[in-house]
């Protein structure tokens, strides 16, 4: 049997992780959070290793291929990319780390008689590869903040290329500075561009709120009522967005007049919207 879609995905189950944890490490040097950073990294490594060793990539490909057979995914990607507000952004952030350049295998035409390929070299005679910057394509569909990185000669080279114009260049620059600053701090390296969001007069407003959360004063028995009330308030505040969502749904319906095509798109959305929260506890139990 062959598959028609060579793609798949893996979910890392991490946490819980408190909001603004990165800010706490960068602004306050929280040692416990710094240790938790590396604990999460080790957990990610272990989960990824288990995923590969248990034929996870092959199974993920089969699942994705199954989704392709019951829905018109290409049309869904196209319709999502046409959205004026999201421009096809399905999730918030992504990192593509292709690893160490010198550990990559060379091209097949340079393999030996046994078909074995040597690793790539960063130095060739008088020529030397010092840095490599690349960008993972997510023009049609993908995340809002995309980071692509590769390690060459012991140094990681980063490319920050979020969706434009949704993310302005100045916002991307601040995100990149905070990202690199956090990595330099937890790795014990020299902080080349330490950043801070502190207000000199009022302190760190974000951390002050996190440390004295007014929701902590609400009695436990009333949380359900408060949550329902806040939910209604949230709907009222974003009423225009709800109206726009319904209008966009109508636009999609008008753009896909054929019932079969329309229901293919809708079935795909329902499949992932419903199956994803169901699969999470199943995967947790299997682990």
């Amino acid at each position: 049997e062959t598959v028609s879609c060579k793609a798949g995905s893996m979910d890392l189950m991490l946490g819980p992780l408190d909001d603004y944890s990165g800010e706490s490490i960068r602004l306050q040097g929280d040692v416990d959070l710094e240790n938790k950073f590396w604990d999460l990294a080790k957990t990610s490594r272990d989960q990824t290793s288990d995923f590969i060793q248990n034929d996870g990539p092959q199974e993920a490909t089969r699942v994705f291929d199954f989704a392709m057979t019951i829905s018109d995914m290409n049309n869904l990607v196209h319709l999502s990319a046409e959205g004026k507000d999201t421009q096809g952004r399905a999730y918030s952030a992504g990192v593509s780390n292709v690893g160490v350049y010198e550990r990559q295998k060379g091209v097949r035409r340079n393999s030996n008689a046994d078909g074995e390929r040597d690793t790539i070299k960063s130095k060739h005679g008088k020529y030397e590869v010092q840095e490599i910057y690349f960008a993972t394509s997510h023009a049609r569909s993908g995340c809002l903040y995309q980071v692509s990185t590769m390690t060459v000669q012991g140094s990681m080279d980063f490319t920050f290329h979020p969706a434009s114009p949704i993310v302005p260049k100045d916002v991307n620059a601040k995100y990149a500075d905070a990202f690199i600053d956090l990595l330099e701090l937890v790795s014990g390296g020299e902080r080349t561009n330490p950043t801070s969001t502190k207000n000199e007069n009022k302190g760190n407003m974000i951390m002050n709120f996190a440390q004295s959360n007014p929701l902590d004063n609400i009695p436990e028995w009333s949380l359900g009522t408060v949550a329902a009330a806040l939910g209604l308030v949230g709907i009222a505040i974003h009423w225009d967005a709800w109206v726009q969502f319904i209008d966009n749904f109508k636009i999609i319906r008008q753009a896909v007049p054929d019932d079969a095509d329309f229901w293919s798109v809708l079935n795909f959305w329902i499949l992932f919207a419903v199956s994803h929260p169901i699969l999470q506890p199943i995967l947790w139990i299997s682990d």
Side-chain angles (χ1 to χ4, degrees):
E1 296 181 0
T2 59
V3 296
S4 60
C5 180
K6 294 183 179 180
S9 63
M10 171 194 174
D11 291 335
L12 295 177
M13 303 179 69
L14 305 173
L17 189 63
D18 297 332
D19 292 339
Y20 310 114
S21 297
E23 293 289 331
S24 298
I25 297 175
R26 292 172 49 237
L27 299 178
Q28 299 181 347
D30 194 318
V31 178
D32 291 335
L33 281 177
E34 205 169 321
N35 293 332
K36 191 171 185 178
F37 177 96
W38 289 112
D39 289 340
L40 289 174
K42 293 175 183 177
T43 302
S44 300
R45 177 201 60 193
D46 295 340
Q47 290 185 19
T48 303
S49 298
D50 291 341
F51 179 74
I52 295 174
Q53 293 173 2
N54 294 313
D55 297 329
Q58 293 91 323
E59 298 301 327
T61 303
R62 293 188 179 100
V63 171
F64 210 82
D65 179 65
F66 170 74
M68 290 288 291
T69 61
I70 65 173
S71 62
D72 187 0
M73 188 177 295
N74 290 330
N75 192 36
L76 175 66
V77 172
H78 169 72
L79 294 174
S80 176
E82 293 295 318
K84 296 179 181 179
D85 297 325
T86 65
Q87 294 189 357
R89 304 307 102 188
Y91 44 98
S92 57
V95 178
S96 291
N97 184 356
V98 300
V100 179
Y101 176 75
E102 292 88 347
R103 294 181 184 176
Q104 310 295 324
K105 295 292 184 180
V107 295
R108 294 186 182 276
R109 65 173 179 269
N110 292 336
S111 59
N112 58 24
D114 296 329
E116 297 178 351
R117 293 177 290 165
D118 197 5
T119 55
I120 298 176
K121 302 296 187 295
S122 58
K123 297 181 180 180
H124 301 268
K126 64 178 181 180
Y127 299 103
E128 179 181 5
V129 179
Q130 297 179 339
E131 299 175 336
I132 295 181
Y133 297 94
F134 72 99
T136 305
S137 175
H138 63 124
R140 295 290 292 170
S141 179
C143 61
L144 186 63
Y145 284 93
Q146 178 66 41
V147 181
S148 303
T149 178
M150 175 184 287
T151 301
V152 182
Q153 295 195 32
S155 176
M156 294 186 73
D157 301 327
F158 292 87
T159 302
F160 295 86
H161 49 109
S164 178
I166 300 179
V167 179
K169 290 184 177 181
D170 59 330
V171 175
N172 182 40
K174 294 178 181 178
Y175 174 78
D177 288 341
F179 191 100
I180 297 299
D181 184 44
L182 178 59
L183 289 182
E184 290 176 337
L185 179 61
V186 297
S187 63
E190 181 181 356
R191 300 174 71 180
T192 56
N193 185 28
T195 56
S196 173
T197 58
K198 285 184 178 180
N199 184 309
E200 296 299 332
N201 296 324
K202 299 182 180 180
N204 183 2
M205 300 301 293
I206 293 178
M207 292 307 304
N208 288 342
F209 176 81
Q211 293 171 356
S212 58
N213 193 338
L215 295 179
D216 293 338
N217 299 323
I218 299 177
E220 293 185 3
W221 57 268
S222 63
L223 288 179
T225 303
V226 172
L230 291 177
L232 293 175
V233 171
I235 293 176
I237 293 176
H238 299 285
W239 181 252
D240 291 340
W242 283 103
V243 173
Q244 186 178 10
F245 170 78
I246 296 174
D247 291 339
N248 288 337
F249 189 83
K250 293 179 180 178
I251 292 174
I252 294 176
R253 187 67 180 95
Q254 294 173 358
V256 189
D258 185 79
D259 291 339
D261 291 341
F262 174 76
W263 284 108
S264 293
V265 175
L266 189 62
N267 286 338
F268 175 81
W269 182 86
I270 294 175
L271 171 68
F272 280 88
V274 174
S275 63
H276 194 270
I278 294 177
L279 287 175
Q280 290 299 320
I282 295 176
L283 293 174
W284 178 80
I285 294 174
S286 66
D287 288 340

